[in-house]
Amino acid sequence: MRRLFGLSLLLMLLSLSACALFPQRDPLTINVVGIEPLPSQDLEMRFAVKLRVQNPNDTTLDYNGVALDLEVNGRPLASGVSDQTGSLPRFSETILSIPVSISAFSVLRQTLGLSQTQSLDNLPYVLRGKLAGGVFGTRRFVDRGTLDLRGSTATW
């Protein structure tokens, strides 16, 4: 009984000390900085979503894939993935371009969800995504804002 207690205590201390080995990291700062049209298929539209990714940490962030989901006005609109790989050095930033697809059915859902008095400007959006980086290196992020569709090009 005493050995079991001692073993349990040892395992608990080891598990607590293992958590201390993982460094505390500040969250990445990720903002949507633009969209560009891409060639599309029959019932879909495709865009390249440009993200500014800032690493406020004192360690390099290595990534090997990106995934995005975009909601507009509280409804799913677009999703995309990319197998981009790279490194984001400490205290630096980069622009990533991720292709996303919007199906005709998503556009129809969005259209049906708008009230007759609601304009297409200033619709709220939520962008959720992740930068893949292995078992302990994957970083999830969320960006919220409103769409500004005035002018000749769409900006966020």
Side-chain angles (χ1 to χ4, degrees):
M1 183 69 165
R2 200 167 233 210
R3 284 185 174 199
L4 183 60
F5 177 74
L7 183 60
S8 297
L9 184 61
L10 180 63
L11 288 175
M12 186 172 69
L13 288 174
L14 285 175
S15 66
L16 288 175
S17 65
C19 292
L21 295 175
F22 295 114
Q24 294 292 332
R25 295 184 287 196
D26 291 325
L28 300 175
T29 303
I30 298 180
N31 296 303
V32 177
V33 294
I35 60 171
E36 294 178 355
L38 293 174
S40 302
Q41 296 296 317
D42 297 332
L43 290 176
E44 74 172 356
M45 294 183 290
R46 292 191 41 87
F47 295 94
V49 175
K50 292 188 172 196
L51 301 177
R52 179 176 308 280
V53 182
Q54 296 176 332
N55 181 6
N57 296 288
D58 62 359
T59 57
T60 298
L61 171 68
D62 296 318
Y63 60 91
N64 58 10
V66 185
L68 297 178
D69 288 309
L70 175 65
E71 289 180 7
V72 174
N73 208 25
R75 292 181 175 81
L77 179 65
S79 63
V81 294
S82 172
D83 64 353
Q84 294 177 52
T85 62
S87 290
L88 188 56
R90 58 191 289 272
F91 299 108
S92 67
E93 64 181 39
T94 191
I95 301 287
L96 296 178
S97 182
I98 297 93
V100 298
S101 300
I102 303 173
S103 74
F105 299 109
S106 293
V107 172
L108 182 61
R109 267 194 310 268
Q110 288 291 329
T111 304
L112 293 175
L114 292 174
S115 68
Q116 291 182 353
T117 59
Q118 194 172 17
S119 76
L120 294 177
D121 286 329
N122 296 320
L123 289 176
Y125 75 85
V126 178
L127 180 76
R128 290 181 177 85
K130 68 179 178 178
L131 282 174
V135 176
F136 298 111
T138 295
R139 306 290 294 270
R140 295 186 183 278
F141 58 88
V142 175
D143 182 43
R144 290 176 165 78
T146 56
L147 295 176
D148 179 8
L149 300 177
R150 293 170 286 180
S152 60
T153 62
T155 59
W156 304 49

